[in-house]
Amino acid sequence: MGGQYRITGDKYPRMRRPRRHGRLVVLAVASVAVLGGAGWGTLQLIDVFTGGGDSAPTGKAKAACAVRATPAAAPRALPEPGTITVNVLNATTRSGLAQKTADELEKRGFKIGEVANAPEEYDKKVEGTGVLLGPASALDTSLPVLGAQLAGAEQRTDAAREGDAIDLVIGDDFRSLTRKADADRALAALTEPEPAPTTKKNC
């Protein structure tokens, strides 16, 4: 081969493009920045919708401040059976029910007033087990106590009623008073305080 330059040997020089390391670095940095920004934005959105914050507690601390207990209610005070006078009135066609029921109530500590047939407004017109009728003041006092003795009886109040006595009007479905053990349990449940409510607290 003529000319000033001559190639000898069996190896030829290979021409390679220069490596562009700088461009690769720039692309890598840009990708990291984009991913980081997207992740930060997502966290901000979650924070906005959940009401969280940098100071929000986690784990057991968060569970501890999630609810706030209020003081327990005081036991409910109810009158003793011995302070309640009951008039036992029979509204059915079965004779002897009023006296028999009055005797059982007396054994359970109640005072017995009148024992007779029901007045015309109730006579043969009470389809359930019975009706308990008392003054307005007896709604949360004497009526629930007597109501524990006859499950299912309807409880009514009369604002115009005078005196503290309660009428027990025996209805057609009446068979007997509630068993004393069951009545005592029902009465005990009435005097138990209600569970203390809990309120959620934002932490």
Side-chain angles (χ1 to χ4, degrees):
M1 183 176 181
Q4 185 178 358
Y5 301 98
R6 182 173 296 176
I7 299 175
T8 61
D10 56 358
K11 293 183 181 180
Y12 298 90
R14 296 181 179 177
M15 303 301 290
R16 296 183 180 177
R17 293 183 180 179
R19 297 181 179 177
R20 299 178 180 178
H21 296 288
R23 180 177 294 180
L24 294 176
V25 172
V26 171
L27 289 175
V29 171
S31 299
V32 172
V34 170
L35 292 175
W40 183 84
T42 301
L43 290 176
Q44 291 301 311
L45 287 175
I46 293 174
D47 187 62
V48 168
F49 286 106
T50 59
D54 294 338
S55 60
T58 58
K60 294 182 178 179
K62 186 173 182 180
C65 69
V67 294
R68 179 177 57 190
T70 56
R76 184 179 179 183
L78 292 174
E80 294 292 330
T83 64
I84 302 173
T85 299
V86 183
N87 300 320
V88 185
L89 309 175
N90 185 4
T92 73
T93 57
R94 291 172 286 166
S95 62
L97 279 183
Q99 188 61 58
K100 182 179 179 180
T101 303
D103 292 343
E104 180 60 28
L105 285 174
E106 190 173 22
K107 291 179 182 179
R108 299 185 184 189
F110 290 89
K111 291 183 178 180
I112 303 301
E114 181 183 4
V115 180
N117 291 326
E120 184 179 355
E121 61 180 311
Y122 290 106
D123 190 29
K124 302 179 184 65
K125 298 175 184 177
V126 180
E127 296 179 355
T129 58
V131 173
L132 308 182
L133 179 63
S137 60
L139 179 61
D140 295 320
T141 55
S142 303
L143 279 176
V145 175
L146 183 58
Q149 312 302 316
L150 183 56
E154 180 182 356
Q155 299 182 23
R156 301 179 186 175
T157 60
D158 182 0
R161 186 183 179 91
E162 297 180 357
D164 298 328
I166 298 177
D167 293 345
L168 190 164
V169 184
I170 300 174
D172 292 336
D173 290 343
F174 177 87
R175 294 296 177 268
S176 64
L177 294 174
T178 301
R179 287 194 318 147
K180 187 176 185 306
D182 294 335
D184 290 343
R185 279 193 291 269
L187 191 58
L190 290 174
T191 60
E192 291 178 356
E194 297 181 357
T198 54
T199 56
K200 291 186 178 180
K201 179 181 178 183
N202 294 327
C203 298

